[in-house]
Amino acid sequence: MAIAQGRVPLIAGNWKMNFDHLQSIAFVQKLAWTLKDADHDFGVGGSEVAVFPPFTDLRSVQTLISADKLKLEYGAQDLSQHDSGAFTGEISGAFLALLACRFVLVGHSERRQYHGETDELLRAKVAASLKHGLVPVLCVGETAEDLEQHGPSAVPVAQLRAALAGLSGTPELVIAYEPVWAIGSGQAATPEQAEQVAATLRSVLLELLGSEVAEATRILYGGSVKSSNIAGFMREANIDGALVGGASLDVIEFASIARFQKHVGT
Ligand code: PGA
């Protein structure tokens, strides 16, 4: 089990374009109460819990979390590769850092697909995240066609190599393996499929950045994760958490996913 390696599991909720700032405040409050009532352990024996609201909600979420000293983490769903300038509609990593975001999603498949984000752009976004002290949650994953043509690992590995090209040192990274065919489809990968790709991704991290980074980096699985299937993924050696879309919009369900250790044996 991944926890045996000492990595703190991370359960991350990608809210996509859902919840305005008032709804986000209500959700974060309720999530914090639910986890507190359940005596949730935010460390190695439990899970770190992070939410990724729309940009317009981040300031409200920051204010609530810091005022009430909640143990929840948060991040943005995207950032610009640029620091500032004439880039209408873009958000700088510097601005996200000022809102005390810990994380930022980079290269979610919806960004790759609907916004034409290329591997080269995502390499610049990973670099921009690290430059501003944000932990990039780099999303990689194959489509159903990729799976048929190249098998499960080829595309995620190529995306990982491209996004990390030229990187050195010991950066804090999170990798989210999200098979595109599993996102929002109700058809999750099997834990064995996900583990096979996660193990391959970890071996690429070892090759590119060395053992310290390969050991410390959390690799999440994403794609139709629910409270009823999370335990199976978390039993795998190379899966350290989940990136949750649809099920992160229901506070009871999301809290139950975060508390997977309570049902990991079932
Ligand atoms: P899903 O989305 O959990 O609704 O499949 C996952 C994601 O897009 O990150």
Side-chain angles (χ1 to χ4, degrees), residues 14 16 108-110 178 182-186 222-225 243-247:
N14 172 13
K16 310 191 180 188
H108 188 279
S109 67
E110 287 150 19
E178 298 206 301
I183 295 177
S185 67
S224 297
V225 169
L243 183 56
V244 186

Side-chain angles (χ1 to χ4, degrees), residues 190-210:
T190 65
E192 295 73 27
Q193 282 172 322
E195 168 63 15
Q196 190 196 335
V197 179
T200 308
L201 293 172
R202 198 175 301 285
S203 69
V204 173
L205 286 173
L206 178 67
E207 178 201 319
L208 296 178
L209 288 162

Side-chain angles (χ1 to χ4, degrees), residues 84-262:
S84 65
F87 302 104
T88 301
E90 293 285 283
I91 304 287
S92 167
F95 306 162
L96 299 176
L98 275 172
L99 294 178
C101 286
R102 165 122 179 263
F103 299 106
V104 60
L105 298 183
V106 174
H108 188 279
S109 67
E110 287 150 19
R111 303 282 325 164
R112 292 180 191 259
Q113 188 182 347
Y114 305 134
H115 300 269
E117 296 199 350
T118 61
D119 283 333
E120 200 178 322
L121 173 70
L122 297 175
R123 180 160 60 89
K125 289 193 175 194
V126 167
S129 313
L130 295 169
K131 174 178 177 185
H132 294 294
L134 305 162
V135 177
V137 178
L138 174 68
C139 305
V140 298
E142 81 288 358
T143 63
E145 296 77 57
D146 295 332
L147 181 64
E148 210 168 287
Q149 284 175 22
H150 313 288
S153 297
V155 167
V157 162
Q159 290 172 337
L160 182 69
R161 285 186 185 281
L164 302 188
L167 204 60
S168 58
T170 53
E172 183 179 353
L173 306 168
V174 175
I175 310 297
Y177 167 53
E178 298 206 301
V180 180
W181 49 268
I183 295 177
S185 67
Q187 205 200 342
T190 65
E192 295 73 27
Q193 282 172 322
E195 168 63 15
Q196 190 196 335
V197 179
T200 308
L201 293 172
R202 198 175 301 285
S203 69
V204 173
L205 286 173
L206 178 67
E207 178 201 319
L208 296 178
L209 288 162
S211 60
E212 191 182 327
V213 173
E215 283 296 304
T217 299
R218 291 180 288 187
I219 300 181
L220 315 183
Y221 166 75
S224 297
V225 169
K226 308 184 277 246
S227 61
S228 57
N229 63 17
I230 182 69
F233 292 106
M234 296 307 296
R235 273 188 214 110
E236 300 292 345
N238 287 287
I239 299 178
D240 309 304
L243 183 56
V244 186
S248 75
L249 301 175
D250 176 327
V251 71
I252 299 301
E253 175 68 3
F254 187 52
S256 173
I257 294 171
R259 298 179 63 248
F260 70 90
Q261 310 250 23
K262 302 292 167 219

